[in-house]
Amino acid sequence: MPQWLHQLGDIIEGALPKILAGRTDVVEKPDGSLVTAGDLYVESLVEEAMAEHLPDAILLSEERILPAQRLDDGLFVIVDPIDGTENFAAGLKEWGTGISVWDHGTHLGSMLLMPELSERLVTGDGIPKLHSRITGLSSTIDDNVREALEADGEFRIIGCAVYNLYNVVRGAYTRFLNPRGAYVWDLLPGIMLAAEHGCDIEINGEAFNGGYLDPARRHRVDIRHRYDLHPG
């Protein structure tokens, strides 16, 4: 599966000019969030790759919500085609694609991809030996985020879960905190890579057990990098 994910990453990166051409074709959805032609194009690239290599898999994404479907009941490709759509539509480079593949509740592989930054992390890849004091925070400001910002420390609010998760996994962030919660397509690729690299992970206030997450609800996340496992 990691090989297929790398191949898919190559396809998406190779299509970057066409993806970027869709960043100004924007529609506001009923919930106020944005979707662009770039989002839909990346999702179509994933669908084409699935049709060739994983024809029996079910696509689960923000645009393909299956609230009654359990992730332990089939072969799933969970996709956030463009995470950080607000950034993407505004012309910022901090956006990414998250993909996680599951077969009847067993994780087969995940990828965090940021094509415009030329950054990628796939199941089985190594990570650098970094050290950081920075905590990444979700971009939705609520009382929990305000409380975190009042503490001493260095903080970054970027507005892209793929970016935040990528950086806490590799140690460029010491911690990533999303107290409001997000959905499986936002989180699961990065959570599984964080688990692979020994991060401490809390989901909804409890230690992550490595299993699937309910796709019908938001999940609060607190991930801390373990520098003792990756000494610099």
Side-chain angles (χ1 to χ4, degrees), residues 69-81:
Q69 186 73 56
R70 291 176 59 91
L71 298 186
D72 57 357
D73 188 23
L75 176 61
F76 286 88
V77 178
I78 302 165
V79 179
D80 194 345

Side-chain angles (χ1 to χ4, degrees), residues 17-142:
K18 187 171 181 179
I19 296 169
L20 295 179
R23 76 190 327 161
T24 57
D25 186 353
V26 184
V27 174
E28 184 173 328
K29 295 188 289 187
D31 65 359
S33 63
L34 303 182
V35 62
T36 72
D39 293 77
L40 301 178
Y41 179 55
V42 173
E43 187 163 300
S44 74
L45 293 175
V46 176
E47 284 187 290
E48 290 173 7
M50 288 171 58
E52 182 175 355
H53 296 282
L54 299 172
D56 297 326
I58 300 168
L59 178 67
L60 176 63
S61 76
E62 187 171 5
E63 311 307 325
R64 303 282 186 90
I65 301 172
L66 302 171
Q69 186 73 56
R70 291 176 59 91
L71 298 186
D72 57 357
D73 188 23
L75 176 61
F76 286 88
V77 178
I78 302 165
V79 179
D80 194 345
I82 293 185
D83 176 67
T85 301
E86 198 80 39
N87 288 358
F88 175 75
L92 299 175
K93 295 182 178 182
E94 290 82 7
W95 58 272
T97 299
I99 301 175
S100 192
V101 185
W102 292 72
D103 187 5
H104 290 85
T106 298
H107 176 243
L108 301 184
S110 290
M111 175 172 67
L112 296 173
L113 178 70
M114 290 176 285
E116 217 173 343
L117 295 175
S118 300
E119 299 283 2
R120 182 192 305 187
L121 184 64
V122 174
T123 298
D125 290 352
I127 60 173
K129 296 179 179 180
L130 303 175
H131 197 81
S132 174
R133 301 184 302 169
I134 298 170
T135 294
L137 298 171
S138 60
S139 57
T140 301
I141 305 299
D142 62 7

